[in-house]
Amino acid sequence: MIEFNPFFKKYRPGLKKVAVIYPNRYIGGITNLGLQRIYYEINKSEEFVAERFYTDVERGLRSVEFGIPLNYFDIALISIQYEEDYFNALKILRESKFSGRVVVGGPCVTENPFSFYDFFDRFFLGEAENVVIDVIKDASVEGLMPFSKRRRVSKLDNEMKMQIISTNAYGKSILIEIGRGCYRSCRFCIVRQIYRPARWRKKEDVIEIAEVNRKFAEKVALIAPSPTDHPQFKDIVSELIQMGFEVSPSSIRADRFDEEVAELLPTKSLTLAPEAGSDKLREILNKGIDEEDVLNAVRISKAEKIKLYFMYGLPFEKKEDLDGIIKLVEKVRSLGKKVSVSLNPLVPKPHTPFQWLPFGGNPEKSVKKNIEELKWKREYLISHLRKICEVNADKIDDFAIQTIISRGVRLRLMKKISLNRILKSDLSRLLGCMDVDSPLPWDEIEMGYKKEKLKREFEKIL
Ligand code: SF4
């Protein structure tokens, strides 16, 4: 792998060694600006030196920079972006015989730090900018459990102007976080809860970051949960294009895609997330777009291919809603586009109004019945959609594990297990309904919202 690394620092006697571990593939890790910021803050300090670890570089057992074995390091900071990263992290620590202090952070830890509570020393909740050294020194800072159970929120500052440039998820590009958090209220979405409040980076600061890095890449990726909601989105894109950059936003909302955006971003493929097959279900999700928004975006777009993201296993979902997905795909095809569809079941996430729902979405059915229905729905959609478009639909097992990890407490799981084994074990209760009037394990995390508000949102859909 070839990378330009402005934060590179060589070990010298007296420095303490910190391993920054992304327990997944390099391409995902290098696309994570939060992790780059942690690495930058450590290597800027006088007392510490950081090196990075990814599972596809030396199996995560030796550093990228100098190939130093993990167990030579004093402290490990691990970012858990996806539930299954916990298994990779545990494997790396076990195989390397790492014996130093281990701090975990990232979205999965922030949403529920208790799932693997017995396996790590410290848990960081929220955003770590400007407190990374305090975390390493085990100081009592906001966000660092057990000293604090309050999610830490940072300012979007302009401190880290340069960055590691490499082939990331957007190709060889400069990554610019134009916003964090989202002001919308999709009821299934964990991002709006763990990164609240919505914050935007000013246009001048975005342009400055692009300018500082321009000799290293010709493309800019604009990163945010919903980049097209940035109040200066079009101005930012126009100015970057005038500077000679190719621009790619991390996602586009259908109702924000107009002729001007289509002109500015003439992509070969356009990704949209209708999420459900009917406007009635989209209202339950509080998605804020309807079928006409999706079709309108497709009509305007010059892209040859449209990628559509749908969920199934939604509350009050009927067969007509599944047929609605198939019909919407047919309508998009009839507009002369190639279509690829991604299908995922709803994972009811902590801190969202859907946290009380069972996996499978139907509160009146048993765990077993909900799973049977999910399997049937997946097969039904795949068999019909395969005749008309490309379909990506991972097995239900992976999402069941995600649900268990995001809701579990002190789990003893060391690796993925099959859905059959889950259903035969006590873990299956984590796939069922949660009692609305009982405390939930993650209630004690101070996330910055009132539980009563979530309950009211939940009751609205019943
Ligand atoms: S628009 Fe996207 S990021 Fe914002 S709440 Fe909805 S799903 Fe979440």
Side-chain angles (χ1 to χ4, degrees):
M1 135 250 316
I2 299 167
E3 56 177 30
F4 162 73
N5 181 355
F7 313 136
F8 181 82
K9 180 172 173 180
K10 219 170 165 184
Y11 172 76
R12 58 174 195 274
L15 292 178
K16 281 204 158 189
K17 296 188 287 305
V18 183
V20 175
I21 303 175
Y22 182 79
N24 212 314
R25 293 172 58 213
Y26 173 85
I27 193 159
I30 207 65
T31 312
N32 186 315
L33 279 172
L35 217 53
Q36 288 210 28
R37 172 68 182 247
I38 287 169
Y39 179 68
Y40 157 79
E41 285 191 27
I42 300 169
N43 278 350
K44 199 179 66 153
S45 78
E46 296 294 321
E47 300 161 74
F48 300 95
V49 59
E51 297 196 16
R52 294 163 296 143
F53 294 76
Y54 306 95
T55 50
D56 54 352
V57 180
E58 302 275 359
R59 291 166 43 235
L61 302 177
R62 286 175 179 269
S63 68
V64 167
E65 287 80 357
F66 288 104
I68 297 176
L70 179 57
N71 63 353
Y72 283 33
F73 285 72
D74 302 294
I75 297 158
L77 304 184
I78 307 183
S79 172
I80 307 287
Q81 296 288 317
Y82 308 101
E83 285 82 359
E84 289 169 30
D85 289 351
Y86 276 117
F87 299 135
N88 297 337
L90 291 170
K91 185 166 180 256
I92 290 171
L93 293 173
R94 201 171 53 241
E95 288 184 0
S96 65
K97 299 189 171 52
F98 184 77
S99 58
R101 183 154 39 88
V102 182
V103 185
V104 284
C108 293
V109 175
T110 304
E111 77 178 34
N112 176 15
F114 304 109
S115 37
F116 287 89
Y117 203 66
D118 296 326
F119 291 98
F120 307 103
D121 301 302
R122 295 285 183 261
F123 302 81
F124 189 81
L125 312 170
E127 302 161 15
E129 281 111 322
N130 301 317
V131 294
V132 176
I133 300 302
D134 295 321
V135 170
I136 292 171
K137 290 182 172 174
D138 208 25
S140 170
V141 285
E142 188 176 65
L144 188 62
M145 279 181 73
F147 310 118
S148 157
K149 286 185 179 165
R150 185 195 290 257
R151 177 179 65 95
R152 186 172 180 279
V153 180
S154 301
K155 280 201 180 113
L156 277 193
D157 64 25
N158 241 11
E159 157 88 20
M160 187 180 88
K161 292 198 174 74
M162 297 200 81
Q163 60 184 259
I164 300 173
I165 304 280
S166 178
T167 302
N168 56 50
Y170 301 90
K172 191 180 176 202
S173 57
I174 303 161
L175 303 164
I176 307 183
E177 186 186 28
I178 61 167
R180 194 178 298 175
C182 180
Y183 64 80
R184 298 183 186 267
S185 307
C186 304
R187 293 192 176 106
F188 59 90
C189 178
I190 181 68
V191 169
R192 72 171 178 126
Q193 293 294 64
I194 59 174
Y195 294 110
R196 61 195 300 151
R199 289 148 282 167
W200 302 113
R201 195 180 295 283
K202 286 191 297 203
K203 184 183 120 191
E204 300 71 51
D205 295 341
V206 173
I207 300 304
E208 190 189 353
I209 295 171
E211 186 63 56
V212 167
N213 292 284
R214 77 183 300 170
K215 64 173 181 272
F216 305 107
E218 289 164 1
K219 185 174 177 184
V220 170
L222 300 176
I223 315 286
S226 184
T228 42
D229 282 335
H230 190 299
Q232 297 170 294
F233 179 75
K234 289 178 187 171
D235 292 345
I236 289 172
V237 175
S238 304
E239 191 148 344
L240 290 170
I241 289 171
Q242 277 170 27
M243 289 167 75
F245 286 111
E246 184 190 335
V247 182
S248 176
S250 53
S251 64
I252 291 181
R253 263 184 75 89
D255 58 346
R256 291 279 185 181
F257 192 78
D258 57 19
E259 280 85 357
E260 204 182 337
V261 176
E263 202 60 47
L264 287 168
L265 301 168
T267 50
K268 282 197 185 128
S269 86
L270 174 69
T271 302
L272 299 170
E275 311 287 10
S278 68
D279 286 341
K280 183 200 83 197
L281 276 190
R282 274 185 284 271
E283 260 173 48
I284 288 178
L285 299 177
N286 210 21
K287 180 70 186 175
I289 58 165
D290 59 22
E291 183 170 301
E292 201 36 46
D293 290 321
V294 176
L295 292 172
N296 205 32
V298 175
R299 275 184 215 110
I300 292 167
S301 171
K302 297 184 181 81
E304 291 161 18
K305 186 171 183 179
I306 308 292
K307 293 185 190 167
L308 298 172
Y309 279 78
F310 291 100
M311 289 189 287
Y312 60 101
L314 300 174
F316 306 105
E317 185 175 64
K318 300 210 164 48
K319 185 168 165 292
E320 300 95 85
D321 300 305
L322 305 181
D323 291 333
I325 293 178
I326 299 160
K327 281 184 196 145
L328 180 53
V329 171
E330 279 167 347
K331 285 180 195 166
V332 173
R333 284 189 74 230
S334 72
L335 293 169
K337 307 288 187 186
K338 283 186 199 149
V339 181
S340 101
V341 166
S342 171
L343 296 169
N344 297 316
L346 171 78
V347 173
K349 286 283 190 173
H351 309 290
T352 70
F354 285 175
Q355 65 180 349
W356 293 284
L357 284 174
F359 179 57
N362 191 334
E364 277 153 22
K365 300 222 161 132
S366 67
V367 168
K368 210 166 152 234
K369 194 74 195 150
N370 262 312
I371 298 276
E372 275 168 19
E373 288 197 356
L374 276 180
K375 285 184 177 169
W376 180 85
K377 287 174 182 176
R378 179 176 175 273
E379 285 308 315
Y380 181 80
L381 286 168
I382 290 177
S383 63
H384 285 76
L385 289 169
R386 277 233 170 106
K387 293 175 195 153
I388 52 175
C389 68
E390 193 185 308
V391 186
N392 299 300
D394 287 340
K395 282 195 170 164
I396 309 287
D397 301 43
D398 294 345
F399 302 96
I401 286 273
Q402 285 174 23
T403 306
I404 283 169
I405 293 175
S406 65
R407 292 172 155 193
V409 173
R410 293 178 182 263
L411 296 171
R412 293 266 142 218
L413 276 180
M414 295 298 280
K415 59 179 185 194
K416 241 161 115 168
I417 58 170
S418 71
L419 189 50
N420 275 346
R421 273 189 65 195
I422 292 172
L423 291 176
K424 283 182 196 149
S425 75
D426 184 44
L427 292 171
S428 64
R429 78 193 146 74
L430 293 167
L431 300 175
C433 272
M434 300 276 145
D435 178 17
V436 178
D437 296 316
S438 301
L440 294 166
W442 47 88
D443 285 350
E444 56 186 286
I445 303 301
E446 294 174 55
M447 290 291 280
Y449 65 83
K450 291 210 165 62
K451 193 175 174 186
E452 281 312 308
K453 197 169 170 225
L454 287 195
K455 274 192 193 173
R456 283 200 298 277
E457 280 289 300
F458 183 56
E459 279 154 10
K460 274 188 203 164
I461 68 161
L462 296 178

